[in-house]
């Protein structure tokens, strides 16, 4: 367990992944993302420049088809790429997730005119947010206080969303609002008259800090008919499907966070001395690493399984929930372990672990809390039993 590793110990996996693309991303993460991570977190900044640069190297629309300006990549590749970005900065990772959420909703359910108008913009760096949550509706979005009503051919939206990630920089929103027949989904460009954003009273989180979360107000925002995405009243079903994509990618970020904690701690304990040997030479310390490495590898396999499910469109709700549940809890465990084995250094603000710990813990809630994910997994068991 001595000798300088040429590449971080946890990074040497690329089965089924486009190797050239992954190398480009790794280099970008090493030079642009990782060095900026502490500053983005400390100042709670949206990493606008980095996100626009990620678009230039093909990350922001990597799973869209070539004719829509995308990279035509599989989700197996996308998951691995997002893991690498999360390894450098979870805040940059979640900035991409909100872009993918908006993009995926339009790709899966949008009318052709809407797809042709907006999807090509993502490859050119369009920043987007996805707005489900309201002050009175978090996990339960079956009914909403934001309303949409028909006015001739148009839709008119009235209400307010809260806790919206990337909202401080978003140029485009995909939102849920309730119509006469139920929850529905709409595309809303930022410049639409009547739309405004502001920092709500509890907009700053302690983790995944990519700029303060915002409230988005809709004061009679008027939209053309084709800005309804998918089927009126089917918004919850559509949101559930879209969340399977974002949960899988969120799980990949959590694997990245866990790896960052693991690698940084490993680098410290291999040279830190106690009782005449390196800290890593204590078997008790090696076992911490063995346990966490096993969990990281297992979490990554779950992410790959969820990505394969997305690529094949099979059981996506179950596998994405399993991946996010396990990966987010693994990341928290990895950050906690890293603090422990590094002793006092682990507790300093100079070490990255407190940021990693805060990011890891926050991802046990954002994008689907562990409890809600367990409900989804349990539903897949119920469904199986019903079909017996
Ligand atoms: C970092 C971060 C980023 C976010 N970004 C966005 C965003 O971009 N867009 C957006 O729309 N929202 C966003 N949210 C909001 C997020 O989706 C909600 O916080 C989440 O859905 C949980 O809702 P809540 O906070 O209102 O918790 P509540 O719904 O009030 O739940 C409180 C507790 O009860 C548990 N609980 C709730 N229902 C059940 C159940 N049926 N069974 C068991 N336990 C249950 C929850 O798991 C939680 O532990 C973000 C949240 C975070 C933390």
């Amino acid at each position: 367990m001595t000798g300088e590793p040429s590449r971080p110990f946890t990074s040497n996996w690329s089965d089924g992944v486009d190797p050239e693309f992954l190398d480009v991303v790794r280099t970008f993460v090493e030079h642009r993302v990782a060095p900026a991570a502490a500053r983005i977190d400390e100042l709670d900044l949206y990493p606008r420049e980095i996100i626009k640069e990620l678009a230039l190297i093909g990350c922001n629309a990597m799973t869209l088809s070539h004719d829509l300006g995308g990279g035509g990549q599989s989700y197996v590749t996308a998951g691995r790429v997002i893991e690498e970005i999360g390894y450098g900065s979870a805040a940059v990772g979640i900035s991409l997730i909100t872009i993918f959420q908006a993009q995926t909703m339009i790709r899966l359910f949008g009318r052709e005119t809407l797809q042709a108008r907006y999807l090509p913009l993502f490859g050119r760096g369009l920043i987007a947010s996805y707005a489900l949550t309201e002050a009175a509706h978090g996990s339960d979005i079956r009914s909403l206080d934001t309303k949409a009503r028909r006015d001739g051919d148009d839709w008119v939206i009235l209400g307010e969303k809260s806790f919206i990630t990337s909202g401080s920089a978003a140029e485009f929103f995909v939102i849920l609002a309730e119509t006469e027949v139920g929850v529905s989904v709409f595309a809303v460009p930022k410049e639409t008259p009547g739309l405004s954003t502001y920092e709500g009273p509890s907009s700053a989180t302690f983790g995944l800090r990519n700029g303060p979360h915002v409230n988005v107000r809709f004061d009679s925002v008027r939209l053309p008919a084709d800005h309804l995405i998918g089927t009126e009243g089917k918004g919850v079903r559509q949101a559930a499907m879209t969340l399977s994509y974002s949960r899988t990618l969120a799980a990949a970020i959590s694997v990245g966070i866990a790896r960052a904690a693991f690698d940084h701690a490993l680098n410290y304990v291999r040279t830190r001395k106690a009782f005449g040997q390196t800290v890593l030479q204590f078997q008790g310390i090696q076992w911490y690493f063995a346990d966490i490495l096993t969990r990281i590898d297992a979490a990554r396999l779950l992410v790959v399984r969820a990505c394969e499910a997305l690529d094949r469109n099979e059981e996506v709700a179950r596998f994405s929930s399993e991946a996010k549940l396990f990966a987010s809890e693994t990341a928290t465990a990895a950050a906690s372990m890293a603090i422990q084995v590094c002793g006092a250094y682990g507790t300093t603000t100079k070490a990255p672990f407190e940021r990693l710990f805060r990011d890891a813990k926050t991802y046990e809630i954002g994008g689907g809390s562990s409890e809600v994910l367990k409900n989804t997994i349990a539903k897949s068991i119920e469904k199986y039993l019903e079909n017996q």
Side-chain angles (χ1 to χ4, degrees):
M1 285 195 172
T2 53
E4 193 65 39
S6 55
R7 184 176 273 171
F9 181 73
T10 56
S11 84
N12 52 359
W13 176 85
S14 57
D15 287 4
V17 176
D18 178 338
E20 281 168 27
F21 185 36
L22 184 59
D23 263 353
V24 169
V25 175
R26 268 194 189 123
T27 306
F28 184 82
V29 168
E30 194 186 331
H31 295 288
R32 283 291 283 132
V33 179
R39 188 166 176 271
I40 293 168
D41 171 70
E42 191 186 338
L43 301 179
D44 200 6
L45 295 174
Y46 186 85
R48 175 187 287 277
E49 267 178 40
I50 289 178
I51 293 299
K52 298 284 179 185
E53 288 170 37
L54 279 167
L56 293 177
I57 64 167
C59 288
N60 300 23
M62 58 188 146
T63 55
L64 283 184
S65 56
H66 293 292
D67 58 316
L68 291 166
Q73 296 285 1
S74 67
Y75 273 92
V76 170
T77 290
R80 186 65 182 83
V81 161
I82 292 284
E83 176 196 311
E84 211 56 41
I85 292 167
Y87 182 76
S89 161
V92 172
I94 199 172
S95 304
L96 278 186
I97 297 281
T98 63
I99 289 168
F100 281 115
Q101 283 175 317
Q103 182 186 122
T104 304
M105 183 65 90
I106 296 174
R107 178 176 67 80
L108 293 179
F109 302 106
R111 284 166 184 62
E112 252 178 52
T113 47
L114 197 75
Q115 292 185 344
R117 186 155 160 204
Y118 293 115
L119 287 180
L121 302 181
F122 287 101
R124 294 181 228 145
L126 182 72
I127 295 172
S129 279
Y130 189 56
L132 290 68
T133 303
E134 299 179 353
H137 301 281
S139 307
D140 185 1
I141 51 163
R142 290 168 306 170
S143 74
L144 294 170
D145 295 327
T146 300
K147 306 292 179 195
R149 66 175 167 82
R150 273 277 193 190
D151 185 21
D153 281 346
D154 294 345
W155 289 99
V156 177
I157 318 263
L158 199 68
E160 181 162 330
K161 296 283 164 186
S162 52
F163 230 91
I164 306 309
T165 305
S166 308
S168 60
E171 298 150 343
F172 186 84
F173 294 88
V174 164
I175 69 141
L176 267 67
E178 198 175 282
T179 70
E180 262 179 14
V181 299
V183 171
S184 309
V185 187
F186 296 88
V188 194
K190 169 82 190 278
E191 69 276 7
T192 313
L195 186 151
S196 59
T197 62
Y198 71 98
E199 283 178 34
S202 50
S203 55
T205 47
F206 69 60
L208 299 173
R209 288 159 58 80
N210 74 333
H213 302 272
V214 300
N215 285 29
V216 187
R217 282 181 58 88
F218 304 91
D219 292 316
S220 299
V221 167
R222 184 171 286 274
L223 299 169
D226 70 350
H227 282 47
L228 167 76
I229 305 177
T231 310
E232 186 185 350
K234 299 286 182 207
V236 174
R237 195 181 62 79
Q238 291 174 204
M241 174 57 94
T242 313
L243 282 169
S244 295
Y245 286 78
S246 57
R247 282 172 182 168
T248 301
L249 299 180
I253 292 177
S254 291
V255 174
I257 298 170
R259 281 182 45 209
F262 182 100
D263 285 340
H264 197 94
L266 188 66
N267 267 338
Y268 181 79
V269 298
R270 63 208 284 272
T271 55
R272 175 76 182 170
K273 295 259 175 52
F275 298 95
Q277 61 181 43
T278 68
V279 167
L280 186 56
Q281 282 169 316
F282 295 113
Q283 191 179 49
I285 297 293
Q286 290 175 9
W287 283 11
Y288 278 116
F289 282 95
D291 278 341
I292 291 296
L293 184 60
T294 305
R295 288 181 68 170
I296 290 173
D297 285 341
R300 189 191 259 148
L301 286 173
L302 278 176
V303 173
V304 173
R305 183 68 191 88
C307 289
E308 284 173 350
L310 292 178
D311 283 328
R312 295 180 201 151
N313 194 20
E314 58 178 27
E315 284 205 86
V316 291
R318 169 187 161 192
F319 287 117
S320 62
S321 299
E322 288 180 6
K324 183 172 183 294
L325 174 67
F326 190 73
S328 62
E329 293 183 0
T330 295
T332 306
S336 177
M337 178 284 286
I339 293 166
Q340 192 67 28
V341 298
C342 291
Y345 166 71
T347 68
T348 62
T349 50
K350 190 177 156 222
F353 305 126
E354 55 108 12
R355 168 172 53 84
L356 296 170
F357 188 86
R358 289 186 280 106
D359 287 343
K361 187 66 200 170
T362 307
Y363 244 152
E364 288 184 40
I365 296 165
S369 65
S370 290
E371 294 77 18
V372 165
L373 298 176
K374 284 179 198 176
N375 288 346
T376 306
I377 298 164
K379 257 186 215 147
S380 74
I381 302 171
E382 258 175 27
K383 204 166 143 193
Y384 167 79
L385 292 175
E386 275 166 19
N387 291 333
Q388 288 304 292

